[in-house]
Amino acid sequence: MIVDSTRRGKRFPDSMSRTIPIWTCVLNRAIRDFKNDWDCSLHLPLWIPETEKASIEKRLDEWTQQLKASGADIASIAAGLRKPLRPLWISQKTVIWLNEVPHHDSWDFTPIILISASASASASASSGVSVSQQRTTSEFSWNYIAGAGDDEESWARGLTPALFWNNVYDIINAGPHVCNHMVADIVEKSRVNRAYRGENAPQITLKPTTSPSLSHQQPLYLSPTTTTADKLRITWLGSTNMALASSQIDAADAIDVDCILNCDRESISISLPSTEAYLHLPILVSVNCEMK
C-alpha cells in the first residue's frame, strides 16, 4: 500500500496515476526473463487519455533495457514474486463492498494499492461543508502541505525516527486514541534526558484542538507542568557522560546506558551489551546517613 495526497481539484497525484504504473510495468517486463506467462501490459487508470498511454508504451522497452543495464538484482526480485505487479487505485470516493472482494490468493496479480488521501472538493460542496472545514473536523485529518513527508515538524509532534524505532511497538500497540499521549511522554522523556546531558533540548508546545468532535479528549501540552522529569530515574551529570540513577532503573530508562556500577545493597537484573558492562559493588549506608 502506498499513501499520498495531492492538490485540491485532483483525485490522485501524478506519481500514482503515471509514475508508479510505469514502474510496475517496467519491472514486470524485466522479470519476464525469469517467468512464464507474465503479464507485462501497461495498466493505467481510466482517466488517462489513450494518446498519452500510447506515447508511454513507446518508451517501455527503452526503460526496461535501462533497468537491466543498471545492475539491479532483478533475479532476486523475480524470486520473491509469484504473480506480476499491478496497481489499484483507491480514493475517498471509492466504494468497496467488502463481502464482494475476492481473496487476494485468487487474484492473478500482486496488487500495488495506491491510496489517495486527498479530500474531494465536489463531495464537500454537495454536503454544504467547505474543504477546509471538512479537513479540520478530526484530529487525524490535516490540510494538505506540499512535501509534508519532509516537513515532519508539522505533524510528528517532536517524534524523531530514532525515537520512533526505539519505541515502535509501544506506539503501535497504544492505538489511535492513546497514541498522541504515548508520543508526548516519549518525546518529553527524551527531551529531559538530553537536558540533563547539557544538550540543546527546547520545549515543544502543541496547541490543543478546538474541534467539537474532540471535546471529550484532553488537550495535549508538552510543558513543565506535564514533564516526565519526576518519572525519569536517571540524572545525567552535565556533559560528563556519567549519571546517577535509582536502583529501580528499568530497560526503558537504560536505552542510552553503556554500563552500570550498582552501589545499592541489592543487585538488579537488566540487559546490557555485555556481562562486563554491569558491576555490583554494594555500599553499606548507616541509618543516620539514610535519615539525612
Side-chain angles (χ1 to χ4, degrees):
M1 293 185 182
I2 302 176
V3 182
D4 200 356
S5 182
T6 186
R7 61 179 174 81
R8 190 182 309 176
K10 293 180 64 176
R11 190 180 305 179
F12 287 90
D14 290 341
S15 60
M16 289 185 171
S17 59
R18 294 172 175 82
T19 307
I20 295 176
I22 290 173
W23 266 108
T24 57
C25 181
V26 169
L27 282 170
N28 283 335
R29 286 172 173 245
I31 293 170
R32 181 171 49 185
D33 296 341
F34 303 88
K35 302 283 187 177
N36 295 321
D37 299 324
W38 201 253
D39 179 19
C40 296
S41 303
L42 175 63
H43 296 280
L44 295 174
L46 296 177
W47 58 85
I48 300 298
E50 286 296 325
T51 53
E52 183 175 354
K53 180 179 179 180
S55 64
I56 293 174
E57 288 176 327
K58 291 180 180 178
R59 303 195 60 184
L60 289 175
D61 288 338
E62 173 192 350
W63 291 329
T64 302
Q65 293 304 318
Q66 289 178 353
L67 174 61
K68 292 179 179 180
S70 69
D73 188 3
I74 300 173
S76 296
I77 300 175
L81 281 176
R82 295 188 297 111
K83 301 175 183 179
L85 301 170
R86 182 169 177 175
L88 298 177
W89 296 268
I90 297 179
S91 71
Q92 294 192 25
K93 296 185 69 176
T94 302
V95 178
I96 300 176
W97 302 102
L98 296 181
N99 60 335
E100 296 183 2
V101 176
H103 194 273
H104 63 83
D105 285 341
S106 67
W107 298 355
D108 58 1
F109 57 88
T110 300
I112 304 295
I113 302 177
L114 308 177
I115 304 172
S116 175
S118 300
S120 171
S122 59
S124 302
S126 62
S127 63
V129 180
S130 68
V131 174
S132 59
Q133 288 175 326
Q134 190 181 53
R135 290 178 178 174
T136 56
T137 54
S138 168
E139 185 177 359
F140 305 105
S141 295
W142 300 80
N143 290 322
Y144 171 67
I145 301 174
D150 301 322
D151 303 331
E152 71 279 358
E153 65 274 7
S154 66
W155 53 266
R157 296 173 173 262
L159 191 67
T160 63
L163 282 178
F164 172 77
W165 288 113
N166 285 339
N167 302 275
V168 58
Y169 295 111
D170 291 336
I171 294 173
I172 293 175
N173 293 334
H177 297 295
V178 187
C179 177
N180 286 341
H181 295 278
M182 173 72 70
V183 169
D185 186 67
I186 292 171
V187 169
E188 180 62 9
K189 188 171 184 177
S190 171
R191 190 195 69 79
V192 173
N193 198 340
R194 287 183 286 115
Y196 283 153
R197 288 175 175 265
E199 301 176 9
N200 180 34
Q203 289 271 342
I204 298 176
T205 303
L206 299 177
K207 295 181 180 180
T209 177
T210 57
S211 170
S213 63
L214 297 173
S215 58
H216 64 282
Q217 297 185 9
Q218 294 181 350
L220 176 63
Y221 294 100
L222 297 184
S223 64
T225 58
T226 58
T227 181
T228 57
D230 57 331
K231 302 177 185 177
L232 196 65
R233 291 186 286 265
I234 296 181
T235 303
W236 294 95
L237 306 179
S239 58
T240 63
N241 284 332
M242 299 176 62
L244 298 175
S246 163
S247 60
Q248 302 302 314
I249 185 176
D250 57 26
D253 296 321
I255 290 178
D256 297 326
V257 174
D258 297 318
C259 57
I260 294 178
L261 172 61
N262 180 15
C263 298
D264 196 21
R265 285 172 290 186
E266 302 293 333
S267 183
I268 60 175
S269 177
I270 194 166
S271 176
L272 290 170
S274 69
T275 56
E276 296 180 352
Y278 174 78
L279 180 62
H280 183 209
L281 293 178
I283 296 177
L284 297 178
V285 182
S286 66
V287 175
N288 289 337
C289 288
E290 287 183 338
M291 292 178 64
K292 290 181 182 179

